[in-house]
Amino acid sequence: IIVFILTLEARAVLKKYKPKIIAITGSVGKTSTKDAVYEVVATSFIARKSEKSFNSEIGIPLTILGVSNAWGNPLAWAKNIFSGLALILLRKHYPQWLVLEVGLGKPGDIRDVCKWLTPDMVIMTKLSDVPVHVEFFSSPAALIEEKALLIDALKKEGLLVLNHDDEKVLALKQKSKSAVFTFGFNSEATVRASHDEIEYDKTGNPRGTIFKVNFDGNALPVHLPGTVGRHYIYSVLAALAVGVFLKINMITIIEALTKFKTPKGRLLMIEGIKGTHIIDDTYNSSPVAAEAALATLAQFKSPGKKIAVLGDMLELGKYTIVEHKRIGALAGGMCNTLLCVGVRARYMAEGAQTSLSEKNIFQFDDARQAGTFLEQIMKTGDVILVKGSQSMRMERIVEEVMMHPEQKNELLVRQEEEWIKR
């Protein structure tokens, strides 16, 4: 009932205030792309973005209405409904642009949103061969087809922004009747990156990522402090494409992106105990996201060990066993020590034995056990990647070994009271 009411209010608000809408979807990278796009758009317009990962049938209306998730509080939900009514009945200041993350958990989610949401821009980040939530669809192709419905809803005078380096994404160009910009490392991309590397300070600590952006014959340096991995370069490139289309000065765009902060639990660098570095990627996991995280771990220069702590990847259906084995084999070739957390992750341990000695592979039932063991084996100079699906609560491992646990509310995912109780 609440979702129904808030959706009706959101539709009325869009009809009344007529904001421009940027809709972002894909298998991975939605939240970081949303945050980067917001930083660019906000340089020249009044803008609002989805909070955290509010991308569902409830999260999108909440963002449009500018209210928070009330969780299990009936009075707070009533307050949200009255706030929506006030927007409709009174004339209030409202953003010129909305930057919305659009996800799906089951068939029909995006189809239902497209019945009332007409984007001015659509950004497609990356599409996985085996996407998360695939167990609810007849095939990966059916899931991708549903995500592509956003392109059908795009205004003809709008902009479609596609990842040029992903063949499945680039193929969607044929569906568009609007202008198309592409981004990536491919030389034919509209906005292209090159010469990317992790930047280190004099003591060998990672400071961020540097790369060059190429557009219209010009090449400019970009520095992303506190951010590591190509994953974020793609997000920034998508934001650059949006800024270029809106005719925002390139220098202004790049300056705005230096303020871009890595979202919690998404390849966030955290100082660990014993002089170690933690790559916190604990928000969620899927095969394609795990690949990107492991590639980031492999890119690091470290005097110590590279340790991967990987938890179950959920909602993969019939692909569960084969994908866990594949990711395990991939991890085994990229790290010195592998900790597997959860029942499904046992298949990771099995896959890792093809490239990593069994004595360096450890299995645990839950995150707290793994965290206790990790604390015992980590040493100065080690780089530790921690990743797993939401319900594995892998952030508990990071809390166990981070240098400043008093900062957990600021740095870690799922620190709200509702999550702590679970």
Side-chain angles (χ1 to χ4, degrees), residues 184-203:
F185 287 80
N186 189 291
S187 60
E188 296 182 5
T190 309
V191 179
R192 180 171 63 90
S194 63
H195 301 88
D196 64 305
E197 59 183 76
I198 295 175
E199 184 181 27
Y200 299 87
D201 61 22
K202 294 179 180 179
T203 61

Side-chain angles (χ1 to χ4, degrees), residues 273-387:
I273 59 174
K274 304 180 182 179
T276 60
H277 302 291
I278 304 168
I279 306 173
D280 177 8
D281 204 27
T282 56
Y283 173 72
N284 208 350
S285 190
S286 67
V288 68
E291 287 178 24
L294 287 167
T296 300
L297 177 64
Q299 192 180 5
F300 261 83
K301 300 173 185 176
S302 170
K305 301 186 301 295
K306 292 183 178 179
I307 303 174
V309 187
L310 303 178
D312 287 354
M313 300 182 293
L314 305 182
E315 299 180 344
L316 298 182
K318 64 182 181 181
Y319 302 97
T320 296
I321 294 176
V322 65
E323 286 302 305
H324 279 81
K325 285 184 177 180
R326 185 177 68 84
I327 293 301
L330 187 66
M334 293 183 173
C335 67
N336 307 107
T337 304
L338 175 63
L339 279 61
C340 302
V341 185
V343 175
R344 299 163 187 82
R346 293 173 186 171
Y347 295 110
M348 286 184 183
E350 190 176 323
Q353 291 176 23
T354 60
S355 51
L356 187 64
S357 172
E358 189 174 352
K359 68 179 182 180
N360 295 320
I361 303 171
F362 304 90
Q363 299 180 54
F364 303 91
D365 292 331
D366 62 57
R368 295 199 187 281
Q369 290 178 356
T372 300
F373 179 79
L374 177 63
E375 183 179 4
Q376 296 170 2
I377 66 168
M378 55 197 293
K379 296 181 180 179
T380 302
D382 289 351
V383 178
I384 302 132
L385 167 68
V386 186
K387 185 167 186 64

Side-chain angles (χ1 to χ4, degrees), residues 71-93:
W71 296 92
N73 188 332
L75 292 178
W77 282 118
K79 182 179 178 181
N80 284 346
I81 291 171
F82 281 113
S83 295
L85 284 173
L87 272 176
I88 297 167
L89 299 176
L90 305 174
R91 190 71 193 178
K92 295 197 171 187
H93 292 292

Side-chain angles (χ1 to χ4, degrees), residues 167-180:
E167 292 182 0
K168 294 182 291 298
V169 172
L170 191 60
L172 297 175
K173 183 177 181 178
Q174 301 174 1
K175 293 177 63 71
S176 178
K177 298 177 183 178
S178 310
V180 178

Side-chain angles (χ1 to χ4, degrees), residues 381-396:
D382 289 351
V383 178
I384 302 132
L385 167 68
V386 186
K387 185 167 186 64
S389 284
Q390 283 189 2
S391 63
M392 299 307 297
R393 306 303 301 276
M394 302 292 280
E395 71 276 5
R396 291 170 173 167

